[in-house]
């Protein structure tokens, strides 16, 4: 007997599942790119984002748990000491805009395919990922001292994401 992919149990196509699985890591990257922080701070943001993604495996929402499990199986488990590579997009604003468009698509998709409990849990999880990333390392300051915990551009991205996701 051939084992069916996890997404078929939720009624998603391969393309739809790809959107839902790709979005959390894209949110992480966009939240990190919202403010140019330097390599050390970006690594801290990546670690916080990956930990939040991985924590989704323990979600009461079967959808969030399945998506998180899929992501961790693809990119690695932070509990095993694995880290994401630092991604520095050539055009951070284009990445942010793309992530916000895909977040809107995911919101529409979820409204059509799953109950509000799973849809709301997924949307809230994405905002939580962004929240953890933007709060992981202060921006500005000198030699790692001072600065804002969350910069205006980071706050703007998180707030726009929350608005698009209706969370």
């Amino acid at each position: 007997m051939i084992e069916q992919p996890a997404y078929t149990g939720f009624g998603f196509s391969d393309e739809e599942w790809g959107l839902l699985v790709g979005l959390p890591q894209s949110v992480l990257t966009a939240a990190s790119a919202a403010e140019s922080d330097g390599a050390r701070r970006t690594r801290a943001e990546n670690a916080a984002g990956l930990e939040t993604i991985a924590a989704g495996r323990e979600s009461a929402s079967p959808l969030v748990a399945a998506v998180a499990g899929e992501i961790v199986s693809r990119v690695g488990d932070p509990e095993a000491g694995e880290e994401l590579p630092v991604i520095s997009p050539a055009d951070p604003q284009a990445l942010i805009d793309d992530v916000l468009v895909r977040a809107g698509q995911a919101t529409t998709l979820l409204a059509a395919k799953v109950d509000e409990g799973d849809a709301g849990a997924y949307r809230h999880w994405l905002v939580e990922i962004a929240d953890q990333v933007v709060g992981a390392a202060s921006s500005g300051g000198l030699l790692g001292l001072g600065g804002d915990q969350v910069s205006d551009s980071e706050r703007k991205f998180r707030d726009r994401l929350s608005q698009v996701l209706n969370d």
Side-chain angles (χ1 to χ4, degrees):
M1 183 170 161
I2 298 174
E3 186 175 325
Q4 294 293 317
Y7 60 82
T8 60
F10 293 102
F12 295 115
S13 69
D14 186 48
E15 183 180 339
E16 292 166 338
W17 188 248
L19 170 66
L20 296 177
V21 170
L23 196 51
Q25 191 173 349
S26 295
V27 165
L28 184 166
T29 304
S32 182
E35 182 73 36
S36 179
D37 292 321
R40 182 184 61 78
R41 290 176 176 156
T42 299
R43 278 192 302 279
E45 291 170 342
N46 276 353
L50 186 56
E51 286 174 17
T52 307
I53 289 170
R57 294 177 294 181
E58 305 300 321
S59 174
S61 164
L63 174 64
V64 171
V67 170
E70 178 90 13
I71 295 167
V72 170
S73 74
R74 291 180 184 187
V75 302
D77 190 342
E79 292 176 6
E82 297 174 15
E83 296 180 7
L84 291 174
V86 173
I87 298 172
S88 299
D91 186 348
Q93 191 57 53
L95 171 67
I96 288 168
D97 292 343
D98 176 65
V99 167
L100 293 171
V101 166
R102 288 190 290 139
Q105 293 169 344
T107 297
T108 302
L109 171 65
L110 292 169
K113 296 269 188 167
V114 299
D115 67 49
E116 180 52 36
D118 274 333
Y122 180 86
R123 294 189 319 260
H124 182 74
W125 179 52
L126 292 180
V127 173
E128 181 65 20
I129 292 165
D131 218 23
Q132 292 301 312
V133 170
V134 302
S138 60
S139 300
L142 182 62
L143 299 174
L145 301 173
D148 296 320
Q149 188 62 35
V150 178
S151 72
D152 288 340
S153 57
E154 291 169 328
R155 185 176 296 106
K156 180 180 175 187
F157 169 72
R158 183 193 61 213
D159 292 349
R160 287 178 63 203
L161 179 67
S162 180
Q163 183 179 28
V164 166
L165 293 170
N166 299 316
D167 184 67

